Amino acid sequence: MRREPIELAAVATAAVPGLSPTAVSSAPDDPADFDSALLLDSEGKRWRVRSPRHAEASTRLETEFLVLRAFAPAIRAELPFLMPTVAGTVRQQNLSTFVYSHLNGSTRTVEELTAGSQELAKEIGTALAAIHDLPRALVSNADLPSYTPNEFRQRRLNELDMAATTGKIPPLLLRRWEHAMEDVSLWRFNPCVVHGDLHEDNLLVDEDRVTAVTGWTDLRIGDPADDLAWLVASNEHEFVEAVVRHYTEHRRDAPDSHLLRRAALSAEFALAQYLVKGIAAADAEMISEAEGMLATLADDIAEHGGQPISVEPLPSPAAPGSAAPDPASAGPVSVGPISVEPVSAELIAAPANTDVSEPMPAVHVMPIPADEDPTSNAPDAPAAGDVPDTVDADGSIDGDGSVDGQSGPDAEDHPDDAEAATQPTPLSADDTSTTAINIVDAKAP
């Protein structure tokens, strides 16, 4: 059952002792997996609450908590962006709800990002390079997944087999994807640390700066192309070229020549993964949406040819064994050191909207009366006098409201917060932006 923002505010007070919310609003998130809320406390500080809707989503949040613990202060200090900090957590009915200190910046749509300046492209490229240059021990020490190129290719083939059993994938796409996944030359890359769920909703931007990166639930060692899929799907070639150029300049290792081909494949295949997820959840709306996007993609490829994703030409279905007409006669398109052969004068990408989460309603702000006990609306909220559960540095649960040596609302991770706290920013019922998500002072440039 969906939790309303005011219920999440009550849970947050149990997770962070001393937290006194004065206003609460809904916050954009994946509605199939999480209920989220933005809180404003009596000191003017902002907090984000994420509550899982099912066991798998709860496991993802718990994994992210372990990932964030693995980022020692020395590693965080080297990053060109900030990362989330867990302020407290509480477990109810086998599901763990987390409260995060907010980070400065706001999310933007893909269209807004790709219409941005060259400085913003540089910031995104630099952030990607910093993630992919993280020490591999960070992943192995946290016992997170690690894949060789061939293991990763086989994993994709297994996922394709699963998608094919649904009977809902257009044959043209099955054939196209299978050919690319069996093209061994496409999968020669150096594995690195990968964010695994990087897209526009996990980038916080302030003007032309990437201030924070969130959503660390799928960190692994794998294919760096996965973190560029959302950009390649935008079909904004000049912006992608600028991002990859700066990405290449800041990487310790030069990217492989087929990085963008695999990124395009990942963007297309995300639609099949979304379909499988919808079927597993028995969500008719997700299934219908996925089928519609897959049909649109198949039609686009049938008409225009689609972005090149294979190194070897796809055999013509009319004459098995013969090569399909080579669209590369138009000449290669170079993106930094990476050369991609176009199918026409203008590449036709997968649908730009590869973020297949459901649209979120406008933000509604609900003040909490000072004389109202917010815990009265929260099921399973701790009784009066109980010690709230929080997670400490060793992963155990205690009642002091601290995590990894950080206090709750009075944490001194960012000294500038003390000054910001004296200037509370009220939430407006007319505010439908995501500016209020994840707000904490950004690092000085």
Side-chain angles (χ1 to χ4, degrees), residues 12 31 53 124 149 158 164 187 195 206 219 241 255 259 275 297 340 411 423 425 429:
R53 304 196 71 182
I124 295 175
N158 294 340
W187 301 90
H195 181 281
D206 183 15
L219 191 74
E241 179 179 357
L259 178 72
L275 172 67
L297 175 60
V340 177
Q423 300 293 333
T425 304

Side-chain angles (χ1 to χ4, degrees), residues 309-373:
I309 60 175
S310 303
V311 178
E312 296 296 328
L314 181 66
S316 171
S322 63
D326 186 5
S329 58
V333 174
S334 296
V335 180
I338 300 169
S339 180
V340 177
E341 292 146 5
V343 296
S344 64
E346 181 180 0
L347 288 176
I348 306 299
N353 184 21
T354 55
D355 178 11
V356 289
S357 60
E358 299 176 12
M360 294 298 299
V363 175
H364 297 287
V365 177
M366 291 169 285
I368 299 178
D371 59 348
E372 178 180 343
D373 178 9

Side-chain angles (χ1 to χ4, degrees), residues 56-313:
E56 189 272 336
S58 182
T59 300
R60 287 175 59 192
L61 290 183
E62 291 164 3
T63 298
E64 181 183 40
F65 173 68
L66 295 177
V67 169
L68 295 176
R69 286 183 59 193
F71 280 84
I75 296 177
R76 291 184 179 230
E78 294 295 323
L79 295 173
F81 50 80
L82 294 174
M83 295 183 62
T85 299
V86 177
T89 182
V90 62
R91 192 169 181 83
Q92 296 177 313
Q93 298 179 349
N94 297 321
L95 300 178
S96 296
T97 295
F98 285 78
V99 180
Y100 303 84
S101 299
H102 265 257
L103 301 170
N104 186 42
S106 61
T107 59
R108 298 183 186 176
T109 65
V110 174
E111 292 77 15
E112 290 171 335
L113 289 173
T114 54
S117 66
Q118 288 295 303
E119 184 61 29
L120 180 57
K122 178 181 179 180
E123 285 277 310
I124 295 175
T126 303
L128 280 166
I131 294 171
H132 294 172
D133 282 340
L134 284 167
R136 291 165 61 102
L138 184 73
V139 173
S140 57
N141 291 344
D143 198 25
L144 295 170
S146 177
Y147 302 99
T148 65
N150 190 56
E151 288 172 341
F152 191 79
R153 183 178 71 90
Q154 188 59 52
R155 181 173 181 246
R156 279 284 189 261
L157 279 168
N158 294 340
E159 291 175 335
L160 179 61
D161 288 342
M162 182 181 299
T165 61
T166 67
K168 297 178 180 295
I169 307 294
L172 180 151
L173 296 181
L174 286 175
R175 183 168 171 270
R176 171 180 169 85
W177 295 339
E178 182 179 28
H179 178 75
M181 293 176 191
E182 291 181 345
D183 186 353
V184 177
S185 60
L186 183 67
W187 301 90
R188 292 170 182 159
F189 62 87
N190 291 325
C192 64
V193 176
V194 177
H195 181 281
D197 190 29
L198 195 63
H199 50 77
E200 65 276 12
D201 289 341
N202 285 331
L203 288 180
L204 299 184
V205 177
D206 183 15
E207 295 183 351
D208 288 332
R209 294 184 56 233
V210 173
T211 57
V213 177
T214 63
W216 298 84
T217 58
D218 296 311
L219 191 74
R220 58 177 179 261
I221 294 174
D223 186 359
D226 278 3
D227 284 348
L228 283 87
W230 64 284
L231 270 178
V232 172
S234 72
N235 204 28
E236 295 293 338
H237 308 297
E238 291 186 5
F239 190 82
V240 174
E241 179 179 357
V243 169
V244 176
R245 182 173 64 253
H246 292 296
Y247 167 77
T248 303
E249 290 173 356
H250 287 85
R251 277 297 311 271
R252 286 196 295 266
D253 298 327
D256 66 278
S257 59
H258 302 312
L259 178 72
L260 293 184
R261 290 179 182 269
R262 295 194 312 279
L265 170 61
S266 181
E268 292 182 12
F269 191 61
L271 303 183
Q273 293 170 315
Y274 184 63
L275 172 67
V276 171
K277 182 177 180 180
I279 292 175
D283 189 321
E285 186 175 351
M286 286 178 64
I287 295 171
S288 176
E289 184 181 12
E291 288 183 298
M293 290 187 293
L294 286 165
T296 299
L297 175 60
D299 290 343
D300 286 345
I301 291 174
E303 182 177 355
H304 303 289
Q307 281 201 83
I309 60 175
S310 303
V311 178
E312 296 296 328

Side-chain angles (χ1 to χ4, degrees), residues 343-425:
V343 296
S344 64
E346 181 180 0
L347 288 176
I348 306 299
N353 184 21
T354 55
D355 178 11
V356 289
S357 60
E358 299 176 12
M360 294 298 299
V363 175
H364 297 287
V365 177
M366 291 169 285
I368 299 178
D371 59 348
E372 178 180 343
D373 178 9
T375 61
S376 61
N377 293 324
D380 300 316
D386 287 350
V387 178
D389 288 339
T390 56
V391 180
D392 61 19
D394 63 7
S396 62
I397 299 178
D398 58 35
D400 62 4
S402 64
V403 179
D404 290 344
Q406 303 172 35
S407 62
D410 295 323
E412 298 179 356
D413 294 347
H414 305 282
D416 292 342
D417 281 352
E419 180 179 349
T422 64
Q423 300 293 333
T425 304

